[in-house]
Amino acid sequence: MPALVTVVVPVFDVEDYLPECLDSLARQTWRGLELVLVDDGSTDGSAAIAAGWAARDDRFRLLRQDNRGLGAARNVGLDHGTGEYLMFVDSDDVLPPYAVEVLVGALERTGSDFASGNVALLTGQGLRQSWLHRGTHRTTRLGISLRDQPNLVYDRLACNKVFRRSFWTGHRLRFPEGIRYEDIPVTIPAYAVARQVDVLDLPVYYWRQRPPGAVRSLSQRQDEVPNLVDRFAAVTSASRSLARLAEPELKRWYDESALRSDLRMFLDLLPVVDDAYRRRFLDLTVDFLAGVDESVLDRLAPRLRVAWRLARERALPELLAVLAVGPAGQPSTVVRRGLRRYLDLPLLDAGHPAVPRRAYRAPGGVRTEVHEARWVGNRLLVRGLAYDVSRGAARPWQPIRLLWLRAPARRWRRMLPLPTRVHPTGGVHATGGTEPPGADGRQPGAGWAGFSTLVDPRRLRGRGGWAIGDWSFLVLLVGAGRPRPGMLAVGDARPALPARWVDAGVRVVPFVRSGRLWLRVERPGARVTGVRVAEKALLVEGVAGRRPAPGTTVCLSRVTGVVGRAYPVLPTGAGPVDGCWTARVPLENLVADSGLVDGDARPVGDGPAATGGRAVLVGEAGAGWRVALAEPGAEPVELPVPADFTGVRQVLGPVELMARPTDDGVLWLRVLPPGPVAAGAELADGTLVLTGGLPSDGEGWAELRILLRHRESGTPTGPPLPDLVLPAEVRGAWWSVRIPLTGADGPADGDWVPLYRRRSDEMPVDLPFDVSARRMLPRDVNVGIRRLELLPDREREVVRLGPRPA
């Protein structure tokens, strides 16, 4: 029997969203669930909906109480739960089908106190990465502490986590009652006292963003005074809890994060709220900052340093003057005063007794960010930006960027200089803002901070053969003053990082470690040689350097390092040294674990919850598995595929199985609803033409529409661009669509994800590309005055459009 997980769901007046929430819980691939629903005095039909689920599914239990608030409802549910693990879900949100499985799977492997997964925002247009979690959950890290990754103080949700009950009760954790934002006073101390935690990059929680006109959620009502008061109360409670734990450095990290994010949202609202709101804000600020170390203010961005100090002194007119220049988190133009550079803000020259002049100093240091890595012919193209923040890069020669690759640590260190080209960044400036360069001594921007370099893998091979190991990128900025060294960082939105076979048995793999770009030269100990469907199973065939040891298995993992299912490996070689092997993966397991069918192998409804079925949501990356080989007592080793791997597509009743490489060349299995698959692409007269096949004879696909959806809005609050919807031409079992790339009908600049929709009343689904289509796509071409790039993301293709480079 799987370990029992108690899931607590407080319910209050959410009849429009509750069915979809409870349906997503019922369809979890982890079967050991105890679902405790606590009706907190609902006045609509929510209680009746919850009672219906409790009547037909014995895993659900309904408790009722008068309205006492979310914290009290969660505590009541905890007191009535019996599971070894604890999870909390808000009743208007949704879980992907694999959520509990991967979180508990991580804890079962590592023994950590709790596991935290990535979060996606559930909008009317599908899923988007939560801005709050894009940095904290960028990569999977198992068995770490808050000291290993301090930015986890930004992960304040309770609902994207599974806790061990022994940890929860051992530290006497309870949700505060009578205030909102009850997650913060619990999750922050939990991170501080945890021996170790697991952080997963896979989205495990879909946080609903209610549409305009709907009843606003708590996070959408920051302009109300009660919300202001409760947010400050929650943040102050968490900060003082860290003080009582005698963790001064953890407290400083948290206080800094609160001033940068949780409380800054109210600071940004001051220009548009009334005087009563402003007075209450200043009262709360004075109280909170009384317990904040002065060094915390000095670590903030300059404009925030100034704004919070003015707020502490109740200098409201001066504070509003600073905020009038722009949002508090947006840097300003830089000016020179003597030998130093300062942000050009009100009061810089006039001064204010509460704000020392050092608070205005412009930030310094080297900023680097990789935006793209892809293979051009036999060389790896890396593009991004690199500049000295304090000096900028307003000219192509200011400063000069020099790049090297540093060989793996040996008795000697080998440094390879890389050819580097400088190009414009399209409006990025030295302080990260968008203001144009000024005059009269103003610091120019960083419009020439962009760079590109080509890495020839043949240079990674010395006289003694390939230098197996991890190569690091180094950057040196040479301009006025001392040279500034740095490493190539990868932003919160990680680009695709494709691998390449460069010699017999040798691969070059770009990867991210500690937020920086590296290259790994490796000789895989095992690899896949073929995949085929036979005898109601997926047969994975491969070869290893030696005969597999008894007990070796092929492992399927939704998250790297967290094994889901494992299947025995059978040696197929004739001799004792022959390393050929085969593993048999039952198709019924893949179908059942996909989350796209119910317990009777019937397809899940293809509409929203109101139609009785869970919608297939764009971005459910967990409906797929990376494949690895594990010998007894050893860590699983992911299995790369050969360069000529053709992949597998197979319709399995209500779903379709695809086996193809990931962007880093590892075997990846994905289960999708049967639908169109792009098999070809070409450019003709400024138009991108996609073609492909349909299930069976194409019946029922006459209304097929292909959509392009903007991948990121680029800001935490900016509304997403509307979808571009194009009718497909259907002929029998084939379809095609023409996507204009020029003119008013084409998509705007940016990254666009291809989707499809069978009927107008259905939610869109990812449009998959088969292996042959991925290889024939025009990866980087100019179309008129625009540039088109088709990039492999982790699970899908991305159409990138932008201005043609000069």
Side-chain angles (χ1 to χ4, degrees):
M1 284 289 293
L4 185 64
V5 181
T6 296
V7 182
V8 178
V9 186
V11 177
F12 178 74
D13 287 357
V14 283
E15 62 181 359
D16 292 339
Y17 307 110
L18 185 60
E20 190 174 5
C21 173
L22 300 185
D23 188 62
S24 74
L25 293 173
R27 297 188 185 281
Q28 289 298 298
T29 56
W30 186 269
R31 306 310 297 172
L33 294 179
E34 175 188 53
L35 302 158
V36 182
L37 314 181
V38 183
D39 176 48
D40 191 38
S42 294
T43 60
D44 63 359
S46 298
I49 294 170
W53 275 95
R56 64 178 178 267
D57 190 329
D58 59 9
R59 295 176 299 169
F60 287 79
R61 186 150 44 105
L62 176 60
L63 307 174
R64 298 174 184 266
Q65 66 178 27
D66 294 335
N67 182 251
R68 295 170 51 200
L70 182 60
R74 285 178 175 173
N75 290 334
V76 167
L78 281 170
D79 294 339
H80 286 79
T82 61
E84 178 184 348
Y85 296 101
L86 303 173
M87 187 176 189
F88 307 95
V89 174
D90 287 346
S91 51
D92 56 348
D93 297 330
V94 174
L95 293 188
Y98 52 79
V100 179
E101 172 198 328
V102 297
L103 290 168
V104 176
L107 295 177
E108 297 272 276
R109 180 196 165 186
T110 64
S112 294
D113 294 320
F114 65 90
S116 176
N118 205 346
V119 177
L121 304 181
L122 177 55
T123 72
Q125 287 189 314
L127 299 176
R128 297 168 60 201
Q129 170 65 49
S130 164
W131 189 270
L132 190 64
H133 296 84
R134 64 185 302 174
T136 58
H137 292 72
R138 178 172 49 193
T139 56
T140 293
R141 301 185 70 188
L142 304 179
I144 65 170
S145 71
L146 185 58
R147 290 174 177 80
D148 298 318
Q149 188 175 328
N151 73 344
L152 289 173
V153 294
Y154 287 93
D155 176 29
R156 289 81 180 263
L157 281 183
C159 297
N160 63 330
K161 300 172 178 62
V162 165
F163 299 87
R164 290 186 186 275
R165 180 181 286 275
S166 58
F167 168 76
W168 188 274
T169 57
H171 291 282
R172 299 180 181 179
L173 297 176
R174 300 285 285 183
F175 288 99
E177 301 183 14
I179 68 167
R180 290 166 282 194
Y181 302 108
E182 51 283 298
D183 290 13
I184 297 174
V186 172
T187 55
I188 298 303
Y191 267 121
V193 300
R195 176 180 49 86
Q196 65 178 40
V197 300
D198 300 327
V199 180
L200 310 182
D201 65 352
L202 188 68
V204 300
Y205 195 75
Y206 298 159
W207 190 2
R208 188 182 298 277
Q209 308 298 293
R210 298 187 186 183
V215 177
R216 294 196 299 172
S217 65
L218 186 62
S219 60
Q220 295 170 315
R221 305 205 307 263
Q222 291 96 351
D223 56 349
E224 300 175 6
V225 171
N227 255 15
L228 169 73
V229 173
D230 285 349
R231 188 75 162 203
F232 264 91
V235 168
T236 302
S237 173
S239 178
R240 290 174 180 172
S241 294
L242 295 176
R244 288 193 295 271
L245 291 172
E247 295 282 1
E249 186 58 28
L250 297 184
K251 183 180 184 301
R252 285 192 287 268
W253 289 340
Y254 174 69
D255 291 345
E256 181 182 354
S257 74
L259 294 172
R260 288 181 184 272
S261 59
D262 284 78
L263 303 182
R264 200 199 82 196
M265 67 179 75
F266 303 109
L267 189 68
D268 291 339
L269 284 173
L270 289 186
V272 297
V273 294
D274 60 25
D275 288 339
Y277 188 103
R278 292 170 177 172
R279 288 193 297 271
R280 195 72 177 108
F281 170 83
L282 294 178
D283 292 340
L284 296 168
T285 297
V286 170
D287 179 63
F288 176 72
L289 290 180
V292 174
D293 192 283
E294 190 73 12
S295 65
V296 172
L297 296 179
D298 290 334
R299 295 198 306 218
L300 298 173
R303 187 177 297 188
L304 283 174
R305 295 177 208 155
V306 173
W308 283 118
R309 282 184 166 99
L310 292 171
R312 184 176 58 185
E313 298 301 318
R314 301 180 183 272
L316 184 60
E318 295 88 345
L319 174 59
L320 293 176
V322 170
L323 295 178
V325 180
Q330 175 184 323
S332 184
T333 309
V334 179
V335 296
R336 184 188 294 273
R337 294 291 184 268
L339 298 178
R340 295 190 180 275
R341 295 170 176 81
Y342 298 89
L343 290 194
D344 188 17
L345 292 173
L347 309 179
L348 170 61
D349 296 316
H352 189 282
V355 184
R357 194 169 184 81
R358 71 174 187 276
Y360 296 92
R361 288 179 186 171
V366 175
R367 180 187 173 193
T368 63
E369 189 169 300
V370 175
H371 297 153
E372 180 183 358
R374 62 183 173 86
W375 292 89
V376 178
N378 294 320
R379 295 183 294 177
L380 179 68
L381 171 67
V382 178
R383 289 200 305 201
L385 58 83
Y387 64 96
D388 185 329
V389 173
S390 64
R391 299 186 181 279
R395 304 288 187 271
W397 56 86
Q398 181 194 11
I400 301 171
R401 274 132 284 183
L402 304 176
L403 280 170
W404 287 273
L405 273 175
R406 183 165 59 188
R410 295 286 192 277
R411 288 174 298 177
W412 46 269
R413 304 287 291 197
R414 184 179 173 198
M415 301 284 287
L416 297 179
L418 298 176
T420 306
R421 293 183 59 188
V422 175
H423 58 78
T425 57
V428 177
H429 296 287
T431 55
T434 56
E435 294 123 326
D440 301 325
R442 293 179 182 271
Q443 171 66 28
W448 282 90
F451 76 89
S452 63
T453 186
L454 285 168
V455 181
D456 188 342
R458 293 174 297 182
R459 300 182 64 199
L460 308 181
R461 181 172 184 170
R463 295 178 180 177
W466 291 96
I468 303 299
D470 298 342
W471 294 68
S472 58
F473 284 89
L474 299 178
V475 60
L476 189 68
L477 304 181
V478 182
R482 292 189 308 169
R484 304 295 300 273
M487 296 184 70
L488 282 187
V490 176
D492 293 338
R494 197 209 80 170
L497 299 175
R500 175 68 63 92
W501 292 96
V502 295
D503 202 351
V506 179
R507 293 201 320 153
V508 172
V509 185
F511 70 99
V512 176
R513 177 193 293 158
S514 301
R516 297 181 174 93
L517 182 66
W518 295 68
L519 282 185
R520 175 170 295 147
V521 180
E522 64 178 19
R523 292 185 184 273
R527 64 181 185 274
V528 172
T529 56
V531 177
R532 56 191 175 92
V533 175
E535 301 176 354
K536 298 183 180 181
L538 183 73
L539 300 182
V540 180
E541 300 166 334
V543 64
R546 55 186 174 84
R547 189 177 181 84
T552 300
T553 59
V554 158
C555 305
L556 273 56
S557 301
R558 301 183 195 269
V559 179
T560 299
V562 181
V563 174
R565 290 183 183 255
Y567 302 93
V569 163
L570 302 177
T572 56
V577 184
D578 195 327
C580 296
W581 51 265
T582 299
R584 184 179 183 275
V585 181
L587 296 176
E588 62 182 3
N589 289 358
L590 296 175
V591 174
D593 291 349
S594 69
L596 300 179
V597 297
D598 63 17
D600 298 323
R602 292 191 297 265
V604 171
D606 53 10
T611 66
R614 189 186 66 80
V616 178
L617 296 172
V618 176
E620 286 193 340
W625 303 266
R626 293 170 71 95
V627 183
L629 190 74
E631 292 191 337
E635 289 293 313
V637 177
E638 292 184 332
L639 290 169
V641 300
D644 59 352
F645 182 72
T646 58
V648 169
R649 284 179 53 201
Q650 182 80 26
V651 175
L652 308 172
V655 297
E656 182 172 14
L657 170 68
M658 295 188 70
R660 66 170 180 83
T662 59
D663 63 326
D664 57 350
V666 172
L667 178 61
W668 188 51
L669 309 179
R670 192 177 191 193
V671 178
L672 292 168
V677 176
E682 63 177 350
L683 281 171
D685 300 326
T687 300
L688 176 64
V689 181
L690 300 179
T691 58
L694 292 167
S696 62
D697 59 359
E699 183 178 354
W701 291 90
E703 299 180 33
L704 174 64
R705 297 291 185 270
I706 304 299
L707 295 78
L708 291 184
R709 173 165 293 168
H710 200 256
R711 183 167 62 168
E712 289 283 353
S713 68
T715 67
T717 57
L721 295 174
D723 293 343
L724 178 65
V725 183
L726 301 164
E729 181 180 357
V730 177
R731 294 185 179 181
W734 291 91
W735 62 272
S736 65
V737 68
R738 299 176 63 85
I739 303 174
L741 302 178
T742 59
D745 296 332
D749 289 350
D751 291 355
W752 299 82
V753 178
L755 315 168
Y756 76 85
R757 186 170 61 206
R758 185 173 182 175
R759 295 189 302 268
S760 59
D761 59 344
E762 291 184 355
M763 292 190 71
V765 181
D766 285 344
L767 176 65
F769 284 64
D770 66 19
V771 175
S772 60
R774 288 167 62 88
R775 290 176 179 153
M776 69 188 297
L777 290 173
R779 290 291 176 190
D780 187 358
V781 295
N782 293 323
V783 183
I785 61 172
R786 306 185 79 184
R787 181 182 189 182
L788 166 68
E789 298 175 76
L790 292 170
L791 309 173
D793 201 347
R794 293 190 187 185
E795 292 87 29
R796 56 181 67 91
E797 298 294 324
V798 175
V799 178
R800 173 175 292 174
L801 289 166
R804 184 172 180 170

